[in-house]
Amino acid sequence: MAVIHHTRLVPTKLELLASWLPSRPWYDDGAGGPELANAGGFRLDDPQGEVGIEFIVVTDASGPLPAAYLVPLTYRGAPLDGAGHALVGTMEHGVLGSRWVYDGCHDPVLLGQLPALIEGRAPAQDQNTTGVPARDVTCAYAGDGPLPMDFTTAATDTRESTALPTLNGMVLRLHRVLRPASEDSSLSPQGLSPQELSLRGLAPQGTTGHIAGSWQMPDGSRTAGLFATLHTGPRS
């Protein structure tokens, strides 16, 4: 179980992301640079206890309308070989010392935990409290057998998502630009929330699995939507 330390980070996660996000194809630049707030997310445990895994939702108030982004990060005590292109930055942790922060879509430790998360074998953990489940994160899988454990690090970014393929043709589409369920055309026409979709055993149309959760908007209200969807073949 990962232990969450409440300590000083230099630079902070939001400061790192404010520098990194504008380089992403799915980020919509505002007029004066990102104005970020931590709006939600969850953690996963590394079975080996070496790598920190966190899915952060940030909101950006720099544009005419607030935007929300999902950013999976990994935290390491040493550089990850061959992953310089995925380095978000480095920070000094008040307890653990120097940490290398990576876009988790290119980190094999995070990718190795995704099948267990979707199948419910690795529950999402609260961002801020050790040993507490993230109760607003729900997952569903409707496949015929166990998920393959071979999500590759050949992630492909688009204008709204990152595609993570498996060797057998499945694709997990990580929704980088988050949309409330009421505005997401991929959801079923009943207008159910992600939690209701999972509880009733329904999946978004054309998928075999999904991850859903909630986040806080800049005005203080909470909304919910899809974090990721699993498809049986490539998507454009």
Side-chain angles (χ1 to χ4, degrees), residues 52-77:
I53 304 172
E54 184 175 17
F55 288 71
I56 296 180
V57 178
V58 293
T59 52
D60 183 10
S62 64
L65 295 173
Y69 300 98
L70 179 64
V71 186
L73 297 175
T74 56
Y75 309 104
R76 289 176 167 267

Side-chain angles (χ1 to χ4, degrees), residues 121-133:
R121 295 181 286 106
Q125 300 293 314
D126 187 83
Q127 274 185 303
N128 302 309
T129 307
T130 301
V132 175

Side-chain angles (χ1 to χ4, degrees), residues 45-120:
D45 286 336
D46 169 16
Q48 304 303 316
E50 296 292 333
V51 177
I53 304 172
E54 184 175 17
F55 288 71
I56 296 180
V57 178
V58 293
T59 52
D60 183 10
S62 64
L65 295 173
Y69 300 98
L70 179 64
V71 186
L73 297 175
T74 56
Y75 309 104
R76 289 176 167 267
L80 175 61
D81 289 344
H85 63 289
L87 183 67
V88 176
T90 59
M91 62 171 56
E92 290 299 315
H93 188 285
V95 175
L96 301 176
S98 298
R99 306 293 282 171
W100 281 258
V101 184
Y102 289 93
D103 178 354
C105 290
H106 301 270
D107 192 313
V109 172
L110 182 148
L111 297 178
Q113 288 302 99
L114 282 176
L117 170 66
I118 296 170
E119 291 179 336

Side-chain angles (χ1 to χ4, degrees), residues 107-187:
D107 192 313
V109 172
L110 182 148
L111 297 178
Q113 288 302 99
L114 282 176
L117 170 66
I118 296 170
E119 291 179 336
R121 295 181 286 106
Q125 300 293 314
D126 187 83
Q127 274 185 303
N128 302 309
T129 307
T130 301
V132 175
R135 302 190 185 281
D136 61 346
V137 176
T138 59
C139 302
Y141 175 57
D144 294 330
L147 270 175
M149 300 293 289
D150 59 356
F151 284 106
T152 73
T153 55
T156 302
D157 286 327
T158 71
R159 286 291 299 166
E160 294 203 350
S161 64
T162 298
L164 300 170
T166 68
L167 297 179
N168 75 344
M170 283 189 173
V171 177
L172 182 70
R173 187 164 69 96
L174 193 77
H175 296 221
R176 296 294 204 158
V177 180
L178 297 180
R179 304 193 186 285
S182 59
E183 301 174 9
D184 193 334
S185 60
S186 73
L187 294 177

